[in-house]
Amino acid sequence: MLINQLRSNSGIDAKNNFEPHGVIFKIIQFISIHLQNFKINKSQIDPKNIEESYNNQLSMYLNAKKSDETFQFQHEFIRTNSRKPDIGVPLKAQVLMSDYESVFDIECKRLNTQLSKVKQYVSGDTGGIERFKRNLHGTDLPHSAMIGYIENETNDYWFNEINGWIKNQINFDNIFWTENEYLSETDYLYFKSEHQRINSLSEKISLFHFFHRIKN
């Protein structure tokens, strides 16, 4: 299976090692470098599907930035018996062998204080982190990512807000949510969190959180 090949080839142990290696490290590094210069073309945004329009443009942008990379970005990735993440990352070599599985899922959310469902970055019907915890995104994968499109306020504001929403979930259900799941700062251009999950071959998942400001 692809997930077993990925662990073997990249030195990933889904249960014990949550530092990215091999191709996963390259994917994270690639996003870190190129996301900084991504610009939304607002004249081509569907006002009824703003987030989906962002994701569509981002997928095309990241693919356009690739040269000799061994992976690609697929908008609205479809996986059997699971919710489709906003962006899947299959490996080119596997695709050529008719294996279209994603090795790294990306879920994206708008971060805007005016949005009624902004807390779904963490939980809810379309909750980002919660879907990873329930193995609905990043199915059986040890690593995946979230991208927060910041439409107002600052990175620090949303870092604190998201951790506040996680705290609320812990207070509500300290079995499914634990004190070890807060976002933490890193020395890189992303935050990181680790989560217990259910119904998964991987007991935990490590998430990399990228914030990107949408300019007016």
Side-chain angles (χ1 to χ4, degrees):
M1 297 294 290
L2 176 57
I3 182 60
N4 293 326
Q5 294 173 7
L6 177 63
R7 289 172 184 161
S8 175
N9 294 338
S10 60
I12 292 172
D13 181 337
K15 296 183 180 180
N16 301 313
N17 187 353
F18 291 95
E19 292 303 318
H21 299 283
V23 67
I24 299 302
F25 176 78
K26 290 181 179 179
I27 293 169
I28 294 167
Q29 187 179 46
F30 182 90
I31 296 170
S32 296
I33 292 170
H34 296 294
L35 183 62
Q36 301 175 72
N37 298 317
F38 170 57
K39 295 180 180 179
I40 291 291
N41 185 333
K42 291 197 172 182
S43 69
Q44 297 177 352
I45 294 295
D46 179 355
K48 295 182 179 179
N49 296 285
I50 295 176
E51 185 178 293
E52 290 83 353
S53 296
Y54 288 174
N55 298 338
N56 186 54
Q57 290 187 17
L58 177 60
S59 298
M60 288 190 284
Y61 170 81
L62 292 175
N63 281 325
K65 283 291 184 181
K66 291 192 289 77
S67 55
D68 298 327
E69 303 298 343
T70 59
F71 48 83
Q72 57 194 53
F73 297 89
Q74 177 63 48
H75 180 222
E76 296 290 334
F77 179 80
I78 297 175
R79 179 184 282 113
T80 305
N81 299 325
S82 183
R83 307 288 177 88
K84 55 185 178 183
D86 291 322
I87 301 172
V89 187
L91 301 181
K92 288 182 181 179
Q94 297 295 333
V95 169
L96 293 174
M97 296 171 61
S98 301
D99 183 346
Y100 304 101
E101 185 58 270
S102 168
V103 300
F104 189 84
D105 286 0
I106 305 171
E107 183 69 5
C108 307
K109 298 293 182 185
R110 294 167 64 199
L111 294 175
N112 188 321
T113 55
Q114 315 264 331
L115 294 176
S116 61
K117 294 186 177 181
V118 67
K119 293 182 181 180
Q120 298 216 17
Y121 187 99
V122 172
S123 62
D125 293 339
T126 61
I129 293 177
E130 182 171 347
R131 281 191 172 184
F132 284 107
K133 285 174 62 62
R134 294 188 182 279
N135 205 35
L136 299 174
H137 288 331
T139 303
D140 296 330
L141 297 176
H143 304 278
S144 284
M146 291 193 64
I147 293 176
Y149 298 119
I150 295 181
E151 297 180 333
N152 58 22
E153 297 296 344
T154 65
N155 286 19
D156 287 344
Y157 174 89
W158 289 112
F159 174 82
N160 292 324
E161 280 290 283
I162 291 167
N163 276 340
W165 300 335
I166 293 174
K167 181 177 178 61
N168 290 339
Q169 292 301 311
I170 295 170
N171 291 338
F172 178 73
D173 182 356
N174 61 8
I175 302 298
F176 187 63
W177 295 86
T178 72
E179 295 284 347
N180 298 321
E181 299 188 70
Y182 292 114
L183 273 63
S184 61
E185 297 185 50
T186 71
D187 293 330
Y188 307 99
L189 296 175
Y190 53 77
F191 302 111
K192 187 179 177 184
S193 61
E194 294 177 2
H195 304 276
Q196 299 285 347
R197 62 193 334 202
I198 58 175
N199 303 320
S200 173
L201 296 177
S202 175
E203 295 177 0
K204 294 183 180 180
I205 187 167
S206 181
L207 295 180
F208 299 83
H209 302 260
F210 299 88
F211 288 172
H212 182 68
R213 178 164 295 281
I214 303 299
K215 298 180 180 178
N216 294 325

